[in-house]
Amino acid sequence: MRQIHLTGKKLTLLMILFLLHIAHESAAQWQSKNRIQIGCELDNNIYETQTNRESEPSLRLLFQSQWERRARYANLTFSGVIGYQGYATAAREDKITDEWQLRIERRLSRRFVAGIDGWARLKHFLYDSIDYHSAAAIFFTRISLPRY
């Protein structure tokens, strides 16, 4: 059995390809919201240390996209954020951050819904060998109570 190793860069590429695939789908089937943000912020603790804190302005670029498809018995929501943060002199902290969220819901009866929420975050430091990633998944059920 062959084991597949996905690096952060490969996962970023997969996310971009998935977003392009969704964008290609019929607009009547999917609802989407997109946002681009450009800004500058003062990071008052660049290296996130307890002592010897350093501060510096940073440039932030962000692309956020949310896609939703609703049907009579099932809903699918996918959202992704790709961001860049760069510093003038602290290039070691320059990073690309990806955040993905996926929600799948299935209506099992008039009052009962089951589904899964998945979430992942990847931080790719451009000039450092350390990358950060985390992920979680939650299975859920929802029961609508009758109104009185």
Side-chain angles (χ1 to χ4, degrees), residues 28-146:
Q29 296 175 350
W30 290 91
Q31 293 180 347
S32 68
K33 298 177 194 172
N34 298 300
R35 180 172 71 104
I36 295 174
Q37 178 180 325
I38 299 172
C40 183
E41 74 172 21
L42 178 64
D43 188 340
N44 65 356
N45 192 0
I46 298 171
Y47 302 109
E48 299 179 11
T49 61
Q50 296 288 331
T51 60
N52 299 327
R53 295 179 179 188
E54 294 183 37
S55 64
E56 182 176 326
S58 68
L59 172 69
R60 297 178 61 102
L61 306 170
L62 180 80
F63 173 69
Q64 181 178 18
S65 186
Q66 180 176 346
W67 296 82
E68 186 173 41
R69 186 173 185 170
R70 294 191 171 272
R72 185 173 179 179
Y73 294 105
N75 298 327
L76 173 66
T77 304
F78 177 79
S79 63
V81 176
I82 299 173
Y84 166 80
Q85 184 173 16
Y87 297 89
T89 61
R92 188 181 86 172
E93 285 294 308
D94 289 2
K95 61 186 138 296
I96 293 174
T97 303
D98 302 328
E99 292 186 17
W100 310 337
Q101 186 172 6
L102 175 68
R103 172 178 268 210
I104 301 169
E105 294 181 352
R106 173 78 170 132
R107 183 173 302 282
L108 301 174
S109 71
R110 196 172 134 237
R111 298 187 184 272
F112 189 72
V113 174
I116 184 171
D117 268 331
W119 173 85
R121 172 183 283 168
L122 305 167
K123 282 190 180 182
H124 318 290
F125 289 87
L126 301 177
Y127 304 108
D128 202 341
S129 61
I130 299 171
D131 286 339
Y132 165 82
H133 60 277
S134 61
I138 300 170
F139 294 93
F140 66 88
T141 58
R142 186 172 60 238
I143 299 169
S144 299
L145 300 174

Side-chain angles (χ1 to χ4, degrees), residues 16-36:
I16 291 169
L17 290 174
F18 182 75
L19 287 173
L20 290 173
H21 171 72
I22 289 176
H24 188 266
E25 290 286 327
S26 169
Q29 296 175 350
W30 290 91
Q31 293 180 347
S32 68
K33 298 177 194 172
N34 298 300
R35 180 172 71 104
I36 295 174

